[in-house]
């Protein structure tokens, strides 16, 4: 599939006011608002366009599987530091064959969700250097570039990260890549949730090479990454129990195949890392140094949203049966002024409102 | 000196404006006399000056809202201002507008050790944040060389960087939340202390928007633990190309240093008498490479850095042996601009970025431009991220000298784009690089920028005529848009 074909498809949809549903591998069909529109399958626009290890960037077409990108980076000892999930192993719904390849670059950027290394390394958008976008009129727009620093013009490439395909189809993107840490070790501690949050914040304020944390069912896993000497020193200082096979566990956390994520409905609650426990039952897991907390089970949507908001965060209905998804907004509603601004921005990029309508918010 | 001519008509007369502003601001918050306005006529880009109609110095957010509403109603342009250290004319006033100074928003509202955040007002100086965090073993990572003076509000507006940004990121990577007032006086909470705020990433859009989208009234920044130890390796090279290759070799070895900076001979010559940093004055270029972390980690990394630098042909290596020595090595780099300012009547600081591997090529081209324009140029770089700061030396009092310096600078910026880089890495477009925006972006992107602006400020009153050129202006400038260096640069043969 060529970029011209994407342009042609979007131009036709724009002219005919036909809603389109942009799709990478469909690994995240469960995420966000209910799916609507004719599928525009972008998985065929694939391939790595440029990769220069010493310049720390990689450019690829949107349909390139993350697996392919990460394999290429690994040959040079590099990685996507935000550790994105591929969602290829845990397909819960019947999917067509393309889903077997796992997440694509375009879908990864559009969803904007990072994995276990998020608190240390940063969010997806932190690694976006440039994007070639086909907007809702079918115009090809180039934002950003391939250099680490670029403040010319508004930072539209980062705005696109997490926009769930509602502002345009990402045809191509350039990401900053980083060297893989030399050493990695995982420690385990037995502790209750409150204690885990307390410890994570206390450690976080110290110069320690933390790279991931995962609490579930009374057990806190802490991953250390960096120079061998630093990891060693930190391990001695922190104590805990050395774990074997930790890499598999981190993949299961990243891919959400870990039993902690099995129950539905599953709520993803982002909070200031120090927020005290919410007055909500069903805490399933804690990640990101205390800033990401998963709740599972029959939880009243208004209750968990109110609790998260009161604590300075927000709650996303992450995975849920359709019967619930058609009643509850996936994302925390925006304040009226902010919503109005979102609609104006949506109009800038997609005046006819044809791209993934309702995937982010029902209002656009 | 260039007086800017205004493109937009004066909407309200000055008397009406002042009368209305007096209704919303106490007397001591409004400057109207020429002698009081004079200090505001330019920012760090002193070649461009303009007198505003008035300067507002609000003391609280309610007053900011009132001033903005008033100006919106009267159709009067507003230019926000922090410390005025910007280098692209971003805070230069508008002749028919007011300056909205955030100087009195200078309080640090909270510093929290456990969540590693600080909530500050926009007029707080960059360094003051790190000072307030120091008792907790924390600091604010982005450290522009101007950090003793520049404000967080200005940093947010420019997406400022510093020598530690290679490892710790730019302002956009270190700000969690802003509170912003629109030109209509509406208050927006953008981002949050919790990760990944819902909706579009407006924080990314607003950071680096050069005061065109709203006025920032509060900022939550991320603090990071101060590393136990930092040491810097100073390496000298007898060839700038070798120094450039050494930078790529360090990255290729899988090392992301805490800082990786380069200065050429004219820069070290200017700096050394001023700060006595101990630089090798015979070297064609020096590199400063910082390592931080635990003592074990630093020792390990320094050993690797030394090996790479030696293999890259460094002729001399010195490792800082104390915190005082480390700071002295950096002092020269941080004082490079003022030091150059002492050896020339005026200097013009450029800010292009290029792929690191094109460093040697760019330096050769700059040397050719020095001969072409008959002006000297000293070069300091954030080498690790390919961000160049050529300092073009000129004399404003000599007729034609500034025009030559400006043409020299424009040529560097356009070459940066041709080499696959950008016209600005951290100083912003402002008024200065507005023409070069026409080279970096094509019409559809520029139209999108204007439409984004209109979504926030449809009367285009916030910092008008800055950052994004009108299409009309680009047509006048008549330069070709160059896409990621893929189009052949018409002037390249010369080098
Ligand atoms: C519910 C959910 C939870 C996730 N949780 C995590 C997590 O915890 N940690 C983590 O690291 N990652 C997470 N992710 C990210 C995600 O798993 C993958 O990283 C993602 O990239 C899937 O790619 P895909 O090709 O399957 O996308 P798809 O499922 O096909 O598409 C995802 C979204 O992107 C849009 N899209 C796809 N391609 C393009 C394009 N080229 N241009 C514009 N829009 C496009 C789609 O319209 C859709 O809105 C999550 C994703 C989802 C859906
Ligand atoms: C010697 C020297 C060294 C420098 N070194 C560096 C460096 O290493 N790295 C770097 O990145 N920069 C550097 N700079 C440039 C400059 O210091 C930065 O751009 C800085 O962020 C500007 O801050 P300020 O408070 O002075 O902003 P100002 O110059 O007052 O304003 C800059 C822009 O921000 C807008 N603005 C200011 N406050 C607000 C607000 N509250 N809301 C909305 N918009 C606002 C203004 O309208 C203007 O467009 C240097 C400058 C000098 C003079």
């Amino acid at each position: 599939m060529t970029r011209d074909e994407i342009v042609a498809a979007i131009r036709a949809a724009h002219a005919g006011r036909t809603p389109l549903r942009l799709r990478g591998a469909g690994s995240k069909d469960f995420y966000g608002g209910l799916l609507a529109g004719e599928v525009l399958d972008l998985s065929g626009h694939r391939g790595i366009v440029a990769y220069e290890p010493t310049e720390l960037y990689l450019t690829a077409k949107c349909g390139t599987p993350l697996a392919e990108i990460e394999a290429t980076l690994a040959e040079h000892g590099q990685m996507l530091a935000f550790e994105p999930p591929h969602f290829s192993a845990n397909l819960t719904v019947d999917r067509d064959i393309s889903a077997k390849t796992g997440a694509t670059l375009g879908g990864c950027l559009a969803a904007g969700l990072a994995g276990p290394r998020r608190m240390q390394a940063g969010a997806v958008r932190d690694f976006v250097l440039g994007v070639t976008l086909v907007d809702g009129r079918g115009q090809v727009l180039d934002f950003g570039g391939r250099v680490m620093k670029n403040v010319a013009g508004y930072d539209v490439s980062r705005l696109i990260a997490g926009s769930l395909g509602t502002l345009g189809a990402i045809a191509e993107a350039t990401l900053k890549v980083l060297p893989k840490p030399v050493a990695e070790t995982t420690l385990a501690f037995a502790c209750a949730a409150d204690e885990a949050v307390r410890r994570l914040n206390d450690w976080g304020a110290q110069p320690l090479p933390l790279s991931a944390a995962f609490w579930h069912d009374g057990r806190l896993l802490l991953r250390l990454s960096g120079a061998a000497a630093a990891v060693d020193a930190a391990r001695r200082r922190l104590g805990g129990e050395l774990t074997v096979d930790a890499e598999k566990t981190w993949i299961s956390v990243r891919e959400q195949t870990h039993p902690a994520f099995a129950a539905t409905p599953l709520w993803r609650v982002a909070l200031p890392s120090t927020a005290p426990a919410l007055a909500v039952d069903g805490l399933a897991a804690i990640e990101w140094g205390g800033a990401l907390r998963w709740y599972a089970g029959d939880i009243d949507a208004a209750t968990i949203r109110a609790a998260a908001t009161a604590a300075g965060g927000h709650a996303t209905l992450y995975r849920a049966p359709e019967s619930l998804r058609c009643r509850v907004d996936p994302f925390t509603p925006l304040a009226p002024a902010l919503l109005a601004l979102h609609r104006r921005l949506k109009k800038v990029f997609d005046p006819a409102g044809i791209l993934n309508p309702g995937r982010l918010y029902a209002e656009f | 000196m260039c007086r800017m001519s205004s493109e937009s008509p004066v909407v309200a007369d000055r008397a009406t404006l002042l009368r209305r502003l007096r209704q919303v601001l106490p007397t001591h918050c409004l400057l109207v006399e020429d002698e009081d306005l004079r200090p505001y006529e330019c920012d760090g880009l002193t070649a461009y000056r303009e007198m505003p109609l008035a300067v507002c110095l609000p003391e609280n957010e309610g007053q900011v809202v009132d001033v903005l509403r008033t100006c919106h109603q009267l159709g009067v342009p507003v230019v926000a201002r922090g410390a005025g250290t910007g280098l692209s004319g971003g805070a230069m006033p508008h002749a028919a507008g007011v300056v909205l100074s955030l100087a009195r928003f200078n309080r640090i509202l909270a510093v929290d050790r456990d969540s590693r955040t600080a909530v500050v007002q926009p007029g707080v100086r960059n360094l003051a944040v790190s000072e307030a965090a120091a008792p907790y073993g924390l600091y604010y990572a982005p450290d522009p060389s101007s950090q003793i003076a520049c404000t967080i509000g200005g940093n947010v507006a420019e997406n400022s960087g510093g020598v530690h940004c290679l490892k710790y990121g730019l302002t956009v990577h270190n700000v969690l939340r802003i509170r912003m007032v629109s030109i209509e006086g509406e208050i927006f909470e953008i981002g949050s202390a919790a990760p990944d705020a819902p909706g579009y990433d407006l924080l990314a859009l607003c950071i680096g928007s050069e005061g065109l989208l709203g006025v920032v009234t509060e900022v939550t920044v991320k603090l990071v633990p101060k590393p136990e130890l930092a040491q810097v390796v100073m390496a000298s090279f007898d060839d700038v190309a070798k120094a450039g290759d050494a930078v790529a070799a360090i990255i290729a070895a899988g090392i992301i240093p805490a800082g990786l900076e380069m200065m050429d001979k004219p820069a070290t010559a200017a700096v050394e008498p001023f700060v006595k940093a101990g630089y090798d004055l015979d070297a064609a270029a020096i590199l400063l490479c910082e390592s931080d972390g635990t003592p074990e980690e630093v020792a390990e990394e320094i050993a690797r850095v030394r090996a790479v630098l030696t293999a890259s042909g460094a002729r001399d290596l010195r490792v800082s042996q104390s915190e005082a020595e480390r700071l002295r090595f950096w002092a020269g780099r941080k004082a490079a601009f003022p030091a150059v300012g002492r050896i020339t009547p005026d200097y013009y600081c450029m800010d292009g970025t290029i792929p690191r591997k094109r460093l040697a090529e760019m330096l050769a081209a700059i040397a050719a431009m020095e001969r072409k324009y008959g002006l000297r140029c000293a070069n300091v770089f954030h080498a690790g991220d390919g961000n160049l700061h050529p300092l073009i030396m000129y004399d404003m009092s000599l007729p034609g000298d500034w025009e030559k310096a400006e043409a020299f600078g424009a040529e560097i910026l356009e070459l940066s784009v041709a080499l696959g880089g950008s016209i600005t890495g951290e100083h912003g477009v402002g008024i200065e690089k507005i023409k070069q925006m026409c080279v970096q972006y094509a019409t559809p992107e520029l139209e999108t920028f204007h439409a984004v602006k209109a979504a926030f400020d449809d009367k285009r009153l916030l910092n008008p005529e800055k950052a994004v050129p009108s299409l009309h202006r680009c047509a006048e400038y008549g330069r070709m848009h160059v896409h990621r260096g893929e189009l052949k640069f018409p002037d390249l043969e010369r080098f």
Side-chain angles (χ1 to χ4, degrees):
Chain A
M1 180 188 226
T2 64
R3 192 177 74 192
D4 287 347
E5 286 167 333
I6 303 175
V7 168
I10 294 186
R11 287 209 175 140
H14 178 253
R17 300 291 187 267
T18 322
L20 284 182
R21 170 183 153 201
L22 309 182
R23 188 160 202 258
S27 74
K28 283 178 286 289
D29 281 358
F30 65 93
Y31 186 57
L34 292 176
L35 307 175
E38 232 168 77
V39 171
L40 175 59
D41 183 347
L42 300 163
S43 61
H45 190 55
R46 77 187 260 185
I48 294 173
V49 177
Y51 170 37
E52 293 197 61
T54 62
E55 300 289 335
L56 298 177
Y57 80 81
L58 178 141
T59 305
K61 295 179 189 166
C62 62
T64 317
L66 290 179
E68 180 181 332
I69 291 174
E70 292 188 331
T72 304
L73 294 173
E75 285 169 26
H76 294 268
Q78 296 188 333
M79 62 175 182
L80 295 176
F82 51 92
E83 214 176 353
H86 297 191
F87 290 145
S88 53
N90 66 330
L91 304 177
T92 50
V93 191
D94 280 344
R95 288 166 201 277
D96 63 306
I97 195 81
S98 66
K100 301 249 157 47
T101 56
T104 61
L105 173 65
C108 166
L109 295 189
L113 295 164
R117 213 181 294 273
R118 162 74 168 88
M119 289 319 276
Q120 209 56 27
V124 178
R125 63 94 137 155
D126 291 328
F127 293 86
V128 175
L129 298 178
V131 155
T132 303
L133 192 73
V134 183
D135 75 5
R137 292 186 196 86
Q139 285 195 106
V140 176
L141 302 170
D142 252 308
F143 295 105
R146 292 176 176 174
V147 284
M148 297 299 124
K149 287 167 85 175
N150 180 0
V151 296
Y154 304 119
D155 199 343
V156 176
S157 8
R158 288 197 169 99
L159 171 72
I160 296 305
S163 64
L164 275 177
T166 59
L167 298 177
I170 299 161
E172 197 176 296
T174 300
L175 297 182
K176 178 178 179 178
V177 299
L178 283 178
K180 281 192 168 179
V182 179
E184 209 145 75
T185 294
T186 297
L187 306 175
F189 303 83
C191 65
D194 286 357
E195 177 62 13
V197 168
R198 197 195 59 74
R199 285 195 197 178
L200 287 171
N201 283 295
D202 184 44
W203 290 330
Q206 300 171 39
L208 291 166
L210 313 177
S211 75
F214 178 68
W215 177 92
H216 168 65
D217 200 14
R219 200 167 129 92
L220 173 64
L221 295 181
L222 188 68
R223 187 175 65 188
L224 307 170
S225 312
V231 169
D232 248 31
R235 184 175 62 78
R236 282 195 305 271
R237 196 164 129 199
L238 294 173
E241 159 204 341
L242 263 184
T243 62
V244 285
D245 248 6
E247 197 171 341
K248 269 203 205 124
T249 310
W250 290 114
I251 291 176
S252 75
V253 171
R254 185 190 81 186
E255 298 299 331
Q256 301 181 337
T257 49
H258 192 282
F261 304 103
T264 55
L266 186 63
W267 286 86
R268 181 182 189 273
V269 182
L271 295 170
S273 63
T274 46
L278 301 186
V280 174
D281 288 334
L283 179 64
I286 301 173
E287 290 189 78
W288 296 5
L292 185 61
R293 303 186 201 172
W294 298 89
Y295 285 82
D298 243 334
I299 301 164
D300 177 56
T303 306
I304 192 167
R305 283 243 152 93
T309 305
H314 57 98
T316 301
L317 179 60
Y318 188 74
R319 206 187 289 267
E322 193 152 328
S323 56
L324 185 57
R325 285 173 74 191
C326 58
R327 281 190 291 117
V328 175
D329 290 327
F331 302 103
T332 296
L334 301 170
L338 212 48
L339 178 63
L341 181 57
H342 274 68
R343 298 174 83 154
R344 293 197 294 274
L345 282 168
K346 166 76 173 172
K347 271 222 153 61
V348 169
F349 290 89
D350 178 19
I354 54 163
L355 300 176
N356 280 358
R359 185 85 194 248
L360 194 54
Y361 285 99
E363 291 88 347
F364 57 85
Chain B
M1 191 188 307
C2 328
R3 290 273 158 193
M4 298 305 298
S5 67
S6 167
E7 283 175 20
S8 48
V10 178
V11 179
D13 64 275
R14 186 164 188 249
T16 309
L17 172 69
L18 297 186
R19 184 172 50 76
R20 293 284 301 275
L21 288 174
R22 284 193 183 106
Q23 289 167 3
V24 297
L25 286 177
T27 324
H28 67 280
C29 294
L30 185 65
L31 307 179
V32 298
E33 302 298 334
D34 267 13
E35 75 223 47
D36 296 328
L37 301 182
R38 187 71 62 196
Y40 294 88
E41 69 172 348
C42 66
D43 63 6
L45 180 71
T46 53
Y48 288 89
R49 287 161 201 265
E50 191 68 84
M51 290 283 274
L53 297 180
V55 173
C56 303
L57 289 152
E59 293 174 316
N60 57 54
E61 193 181 60
Q63 291 173 347
V64 172
V65 168
D66 289 342
V67 168
L68 289 170
R69 278 207 183 123
T70 303
C71 290
H72 184 248
Q73 282 164 11
L74 299 177
V76 171
V78 179
V79 179
R81 186 179 179 100
T85 68
L87 291 171
S88 55
M92 189 194 73
H94 191 282
V98 304
V99 165
L100 179 58
S101 166
L102 282 303
R104 292 184 181 159
F105 279 68
N106 58 1
R107 279 182 304 132
I108 294 177
L109 303 173
V111 179
D112 183 49
R113 179 215 179 241
D114 282 351
S115 67
R116 285 146 280 145
T117 55
V119 183
V120 305
Q121 292 189 324
V124 169
R125 291 170 306 110
N126 173 296
L127 188 61
V129 180
S130 287
E131 286 168 353
Y136 307 96
L138 303 170
Y139 74 110
Y140 176 61
D143 56 342
S145 304
S146 50
Q147 71 185 144
I148 51 168
C150 67
T151 68
I152 293 295
N155 292 175
V156 166
E158 303 288 13
N159 190 14
S160 299
V163 301
H164 289 103
C165 284
L166 178 59
K167 184 166 173 183
Y168 296 101
L170 307 164
T171 302
V172 71
H173 302 113
N174 290 279
V175 166
L176 301 174
R177 166 195 159 263
I178 59 175
R179 212 174 137 88
M180 195 169 90
V181 185
S182 77
I183 184 69
E184 291 171 56
E186 231 168 358
I187 294 169
F188 293 100
E189 282 281 342
I190 296 175
S192 72
D196 306 347
Y200 294 141
D201 197 335
L202 299 181
L203 196 57
L205 187 67
C206 292
I207 293 177
S209 63
E210 302 195 27
L212 269 74
L213 303 183
V215 175
V216 175
T217 53
E218 204 174 285
V219 185
T220 303
V221 300
K222 187 168 107 181
L223 303 173
V224 290
K226 230 176 141 70
E228 281 176 62
L229 180 69
Q231 268 187 306
V232 59
V233 184
M234 180 165 75
S236 30
F237 291 85
D238 46 25
D239 175 18
V240 286
K242 272 192 212 164
D245 292 342
V247 171
I250 289 175
I251 307 286
I255 302 167
I256 303 291
L260 187 52
E261 298 281 314
M262 182 169 157
M263 299 168 78
D264 73 356
K265 195 170 184 172
T268 51
V271 160
E272 189 56 26
F274 185 40
V275 289
K276 310 220 166 19
Y279 294 156
D280 177 351
L281 293 177
D282 299 323
I286 64 158
L287 277 186
L288 293 171
C289 181
E290 180 152 293
S291 174
D292 67 8
T294 62
E296 301 87 350
E297 191 176 8
V298 172
E300 190 178 306
E301 191 168 275
I302 294 268
R304 292 171 67 206
V305 166
R306 288 183 74 124
V308 173
L309 291 174
T310 307
S312 304
R315 57 173 219 188
D316 187 35
L317 287 179
R318 281 168 55 196
V319 182
S320 64
Q321 296 303 321
S322 65
E323 185 62 7
E325 190 173 32
R326 181 183 80 89
L327 293 176
R328 196 160 63 242
F329 285 177
W330 279 121
R333 167 62 189 87
K334 290 213 172 184
F337 296 1
V340 167
R342 284 163 44 110
I343 60 166
T344 171
D346 300 283
Y347 69 91
Y348 182 33
C349 173
M350 307 314 297
D351 177 42
T353 56
I354 54 169
R356 298 176 192 87
K357 64 176 176 194
R358 313 296 289 265
L359 219 60
E361 208 175 323
M362 175 55 100
L363 285 172
I366 291 176
M369 290 177 211
E370 288 188 82
R371 292 189 292 277
K372 174 176 164 185
Y373 293 101
L375 294 175
R376 287 179 304 149
C377 181
N379 292 290
V380 298
F381 305 130
H382 302 299
D385 29 41
N387 188 190
L388 324 165
H389 291 319
L391 302 167
I392 302 168
M393 297 175 239
Y394 70 101
D395 184 347
M396 189 61 104
S397 65
L398 294 179
D401 229 33
W402 159 246
E403 286 73 16
K404 277 197 286 180
E406 203 175 24
F408 189 157
E411 199 166 330
I412 294 176
L413 296 187
E414 288 170 27
L415 181 60
S416 300
V417 178
L419 293 178
S422 168
I423 57 172
T424 174
E426 58 183 19
H427 294 167
V429 173
I431 196 74
E432 179 207 14
K433 306 175 195 83
I434 195 107
K435 287 178 181 165
Q436 282 71 41
M437 279 292 279
C438 314
V439 178
Q440 185 156 335
Y441 289 103
T443 304
E445 287 84 9
L446 293 174
E447 280 175 336
T448 304
F449 289 150
H450 286 300
V452 166
K453 162 81 167 164
F456 286 81
D457 170 20
D458 67 346
K459 287 193 189 169
R460 287 186 284 160
L461 294 174
L462 283 171
N463 225 356
E465 294 143 46
K466 308 259 182 81
V468 185
S470 66
L471 298 173
H472 166 73
R473 197 155 177 173
C474 284
E476 250 176 28
Y477 188 53
R479 285 292 214 288
M480 200 188 349
H481 159 67
V482 182
H483 174 71
R484 284 194 195 155
E486 282 161 16
L487 265 187
K488 191 149 178 50
F489 193 64
D491 291 347
L492 264 183
E493 288 83 25
R494 240 196 348 264
F495 311 118

